[in-house]
Amino acid sequence: MKKLFFLLILLNCFTFAYSNIFESKESLKMVYNESLPDGINESKMLYNKENFYVEWIGNEDKYKVYHDNEKVNKLEYISKDSHFILERKENKVFLMGEKENKKIEKEFILDDLPWFQIYGYSLSLIDYSSDNIYFWTFNPQDLNFKKMYVYFNSFENIRINNKDYNTMNIKMKIDGFLSTFWTGDFWIDSEDKIYLKYKGLNIYPKLYTTEIIFNRFE
């Protein structure tokens, strides 16, 4: 019990003692190396404070997310066969767009949990002194929302591009029985909350283990 109490104190120190990089910058462009079945691809995360959006540009698709009070209220998703927009109004989310040349309109009812979509941004904002933090995320492959949760696992020192980082290892799982089948690991810089690394199982376009590693700022 004493060890748990000490860990929570230490974790709170890391959570509040350092600034978040997104709070101190008007805009950011971060480049990542993403491992794919056929090689390494450069993905980018763009942040614009004035218009309060975050964008993830990957190999197969693009997410552009608009936030209100650090929570998602609008998502635009584009891939080679899909283009749709989702907007949240209170606990309803409305989807309109096209997938495989078919028009789609859907309505989702969520509870009061937040909606997180681009984890490189959302996970840097969370206070990890709680046990599990629950949220909703949208899956563009099956056009549905999934309830997820994350929790602090450990502090870890990792080395990227010849630089050492003290990080928080964050575990992400799907809520319910599927939690036994999928876990994603994220590493967030303890000091300025930069999203540094991800490792987990990807199911689209096929099943494989992927890593996403921070490369540089542009």
Side-chain angles (χ1 to χ4, degrees):
M1 189 68 183
K2 289 183 178 179
K3 289 183 179 179
L4 176 61
F5 181 71
F6 176 77
L7 177 60
L8 290 177
I9 293 176
L10 182 62
L11 181 57
N12 279 321
C13 288
F14 273 90
T15 302
F16 297 109
Y18 298 101
S19 63
N20 185 309
I21 192 170
F22 296 105
E23 297 174 353
S24 59
K25 301 290 185 181
E26 293 300 317
S27 63
L28 285 169
K29 182 182 289 187
M30 305 169 71
V31 181
Y32 294 82
N33 290 334
E34 183 173 359
S35 62
L36 302 171
D38 57 354
I40 303 295
N41 178 72
E42 275 197 352
S43 298
K44 295 182 179 181
M45 184 169 68
L46 314 178
Y47 167 75
N48 185 291
K49 189 174 185 178
E50 181 179 359
N51 297 311
F52 213 52
Y53 74 78
V54 182
E55 189 170 9
W56 180 267
I57 304 172
N59 182 58
E60 298 283 342
D61 49 19
K62 179 171 72 172
Y63 296 79
K64 191 170 186 177
V65 174
Y66 295 85
H67 292 80
D68 179 21
N69 193 27
E70 300 180 345
K71 298 175 183 177
V72 176
N73 64 358
K74 182 178 179 180
L75 163 66
E76 181 178 15
Y77 176 82
I78 301 174
S79 70
K80 62 183 179 181
D81 63 358
S82 303
H83 184 190
F84 41 79
I85 293 175
L86 295 89
E87 288 194 69
R88 181 172 187 168
K89 297 180 180 179
E90 296 182 348
N91 285 355
K92 290 185 178 180
V93 179
F94 303 92
L95 180 155
M96 294 184 64
E98 291 186 355
K99 185 177 177 68
E100 298 175 349
N101 297 318
K102 295 181 181 179
K103 288 189 176 181
I104 299 172
E105 291 188 13
K106 295 187 73 173
E107 179 180 320
F108 306 91
I109 306 295
L110 307 181
D111 56 21
D112 292 331
L113 291 175
W115 171 15
F116 294 157
Q117 197 67 50
I118 298 179
Y119 305 137
Y121 173 76
S122 296
L123 296 187
S124 70
L125 307 176
I126 295 174
D127 174 10
Y128 290 100
S129 57
S130 301
D131 289 338
N132 293 329
I133 299 96
Y134 289 85
F135 61 93
W136 292 103
T137 197
F138 179 74
N139 184 345
Q141 275 69 60
D142 65 4
L143 300 179
N144 216 335
F145 277 86
K146 300 288 192 296
K147 185 178 286 189
M148 314 286 288
Y149 66 94
V150 291
Y151 60 92
F152 169 81
N153 183 50
S154 64
F155 289 111
E156 292 185 19
N157 293 316
I158 64 174
R159 189 172 183 81
I160 297 176
N161 295 334
N162 297 317
K163 183 176 179 179
D164 294 319
Y165 295 91
N166 179 265
T167 71
M168 298 184 295
N169 172 230
I170 307 301
K171 299 278 188 181
M172 179 182 292
K173 290 180 174 288
I174 304 172
D175 188 38
F177 78 94
L178 290 176
S179 65
T180 59
F181 300 101
W182 184 87
T183 300
D185 278 279
F186 296 80
W187 286 264
I188 308 294
D189 191 316
S190 299
E191 183 171 345
D192 52 20
K193 308 303 187 293
I194 295 174
Y195 164 48
L196 293 172
K197 183 179 176 181
Y198 164 77
K199 185 175 182 179
L201 193 64
N202 204 339
I203 61 173
Y204 181 83
K206 61 182 181 181
L207 195 66
Y208 66 98
T209 298
T210 186
E211 282 191 335
I212 301 174
I213 300 176
F214 174 69
N215 186 303
R216 66 189 185 276
F217 290 102
E218 280 191 349

